[in-house]
Amino acid sequence: MKILVINCGSSSVKYQLIDTDNRRSLAKGMVSRIGMSASVLTHKPFDRPEVKVSGEILDHIVAVEYVVSILMSENHGVIKDRSEIEAIGHRVVHGGEKFTESVLITPGLLSEIRNLIELAPLHNPHNIRGINACQKALPGIPMVAVFDTAFHHHMPASAYIYGIPYVMYKRYGIRRYGFHGTSHKYVSARAAEMLGKPIEELKIITCHLGNGASISAIKNGVSIDTSMGFTPLEGLIMGTRSGDLDPAIILHIMAREELSLHEANTLLNKHSGLIGISGVSSDMREIIEAVDENNKKAKIALDCYCYRLKKYIGAYTSVLSGLDALVFTAGVGENSPIVRQMSCEGLDFFGIKIDEGKNKEAIGKEMDISAEGSQIHTFVIPTNEELVIALDTEKIVKESLNS
Ligand code: ADP
């Protein structure tokens, strides 16, 4: 089946056309700066060079029209007619407690996703915009919502309940939900394949280290704890987000700096993490460059980032009562030997030992980087969230056609 995977942000639409029969990506790209000056579509067919097209892309509907046109274009296209797109899979960030797996999008379902905006005001509105845009640009094609939260649905209450009055959970749904579910699901399944063992018999920790970052403890194929919480702000130190914090700090800063709720939100989500500590960049590559140039604050940022990660690896090894595999994925996880080395340093007593040479070699490719004789396998596995979304979409659409 040819499935168009859509991931919509406030001013961007990322897409990928995947043929699920052979699990191949036919083309992928991104429309950026939607509604701004100099909007641009970057498109890469699997067998030809990347192209950039600029245009006046006023909204997400026009963006999807651009995507469909280039997918069908003579020079850069990979299909002849829009009818070749058999289904569309949408990444939806928050599924709340209601959506424990991917679902077919119907008008009723859309209004339920709308009801979740309160839980994910920064993300779900854009995802809904993407769904509406596809309904207009590609009418009649079945669409599926794949939720970032769904994979974490089976966490026990001990992992998802916060130490605040229980009534807050009941009244406002305040609990840990977890995010990056499709990525944690994909790389844990790949780790099991690489170990040649059924995932139902394995204890795996997956570290998704992108601009946003989260770590998950996966027991027998089920996520039993994860570091992102009620929102994607909790847990690891990220590019621009603080991660774990004494909650009193924000109250204190708001009082001292006379910040509004909106400003406090921006401080924690956009001006904290690597950029906040270092003042250099939110991009790990630039942090590492600055560390090499002896920038002290960049060094503190890198140390904090890796220390927090190590702390979680230790905590989740306890939560899992042992460990078979540790996985690094996403931009930093796939490409940064130094982060992997620093966050695993001194963990030999757990059985985690990585090979220096293999670690340096593993840049953006699937590899077992464990040292010989290491009890626990450490893997670098490039994530493929789009493939998970495409496969889920195919499954749900086929089920709905058969029912
Ligand atoms: P997103 O969360 O936006 O999907 P990615 O998974 O693409 O992000 O990760 C982006 C981050 O990956 C960048 O901000 C950068 O810090 C990091 N990154 C990419 N390449 C490297 C590299 N070679 N070394 C260190 N970090 C890298």
Side-chain angles (χ1 to χ4, degrees), residues 14 208-212 282-285 288 330-332 335-336 363:
K14 285 189 193 157
H208 177 107
L209 311 176
N211 283 315
S282 63
D283 190 310
M284 185 57 88
R285 282 165 292 202
I288 293 167
V332 179
N335 296 297
S336 178
I363 311 268

Side-chain angles (χ1 to χ4, degrees), residues 34-308:
I34 297 171
M36 302 181 214
S37 61
S39 312
V40 61
L41 163 62
T42 311
H43 173 81
K44 167 86 183 75
F46 75 98
D47 55 351
R48 276 154 287 165
E50 183 179 284
V51 280
K52 280 188 198 294
V53 182
S54 47
E56 211 174 317
I57 305 178
L58 290 179
D59 59 24
H60 289 71
I61 301 174
V62 179
V64 175
E65 292 282 8
Y66 263 74
V67 171
V68 175
S69 299
I70 202 151
L71 284 171
M72 297 188 308
S73 83
E74 204 166 313
N75 291 333
H76 315 296
V78 289
I79 53 173
K80 292 209 163 57
D81 191 87
R82 61 181 67 204
S83 63
E84 284 182 51
I85 301 172
E86 291 165 276
I88 304 167
H90 288 272
R91 175 186 182 212
V92 178
V93 170
H94 215 309
E97 286 199 307
K98 164 109 193 166
F99 296 109
T100 57
E101 50 191 43
S102 307
V103 281
L104 194 70
I105 297 174
T106 59
L109 182 105
L110 206 49
S111 72
E112 291 191 56
I113 298 178
R114 251 183 230 115
N115 291 340
L116 294 171
I117 286 180
E118 210 178 300
L119 289 178
L122 301 179
H123 298 96
N124 275 24
H126 314 308
N127 304 148
I128 292 170
R129 210 165 283 145
I131 294 170
N132 288 332
C134 287
Q135 272 171 341
K136 297 227 164 65
L138 292 160
I141 297 181
M143 298 200 287
V144 169
V146 179
F147 300 95
D148 255 23
T149 46
F151 181 59
H152 303 297
H153 170 69
H154 296 288
M155 275 185 292
S158 50
Y160 73 70
I161 290 292
Y162 287 109
I164 55 173
Y166 195 77
V167 68
M168 297 293 148
Y169 163 53
K170 284 303 196 195
R171 204 178 280 163
Y172 305 117
I174 295 176
R175 50 159 285 179
R176 178 181 311 286
Y177 290 98
F179 299 89
H180 291 143
T182 47
S183 178
H184 290 295
K185 181 177 171 181
Y186 174 78
V187 297
S188 56
R190 271 304 297 148
E193 282 170 13
M194 288 166 82
L195 285 171
K197 290 194 178 149
I199 196 161
E200 292 76 17
E201 293 171 10
L202 293 170
K203 295 165 180 172
I204 303 173
I205 293 177
T206 48
C207 310
H208 177 107
L209 311 176
N211 283 315
S214 68
I215 174 166
S216 284
I218 298 165
K219 193 171 195 170
N220 309 335
V222 176
S223 168
I224 59 164
D225 203 352
T226 190
S227 59
M228 282 181 167
F230 176 61
T231 75
L233 188 56
E234 194 183 346
L236 301 175
I237 288 178
M238 311 177 210
T240 62
R241 296 189 194 127
S242 64
D244 294 339
L245 194 77
D246 174 350
I249 292 172
I250 195 59
L251 304 178
H252 189 80
I253 296 176
M254 284 176 79
R256 297 300 295 262
E257 301 266 323
E258 296 182 11
L259 298 188
S260 66
L261 279 177
H262 176 73
E263 287 164 334
N265 206 17
T266 306
L267 177 88
L268 294 176
N269 277 290
K270 304 258 189 235
H271 302 301
S272 296
L274 292 176
I275 180 82
I277 302 171
S278 69
V280 171
S281 173
S282 63
D283 190 310
M284 185 57 88
R285 282 165 292 202
E286 291 172 21
I287 294 288
I288 293 167
E289 274 169 30
V291 171
D292 290 342
E293 288 158 11
N294 292 323
N295 182 309
K296 284 208 179 94
K297 284 201 282 174
K299 176 76 169 78
I300 296 172
L302 178 65
D303 287 346
C304 291
Y305 185 99
C306 297
Y307 176 77
R308 179 79 53 88

Side-chain angles (χ1 to χ4, degrees), residues 334-347:
E334 291 164 26
N335 296 297
S336 178
I338 180 102
V339 168
R340 297 189 298 244
Q341 183 224 313
M342 285 174 67
S343 51
C344 290
E345 214 156 66
L347 297 184

Side-chain angles (χ1 to χ4, degrees), residues 2-31:
K2 285 190 186 122
I3 310 236
L4 181 62
V5 175
I6 295 280
N7 180 0
C8 232
S10 58
S11 62
S12 70
V13 174
K14 285 189 193 157
Y15 65 92
Q16 194 165 149
L17 186 67
I18 294 180
D19 186 344
T20 51
D21 295 342
N22 52 23
R23 296 183 164 213
R24 258 186 38 199
S25 166
L26 298 174
K28 60 178 161 187
M30 175 171 177
V31 186

Side-chain angles (χ1 to χ4, degrees), residues 373-394:
S374 171
Q375 263 170 282
I376 294 163
H377 286 265
T378 302
F379 294 116
V380 174
I381 302 179
T383 194
N384 196 342
E385 291 163 282
E386 291 79 9
L387 180 64
V388 176
I389 294 175
L391 292 173
D392 256 25
T393 300
E394 176 184 42

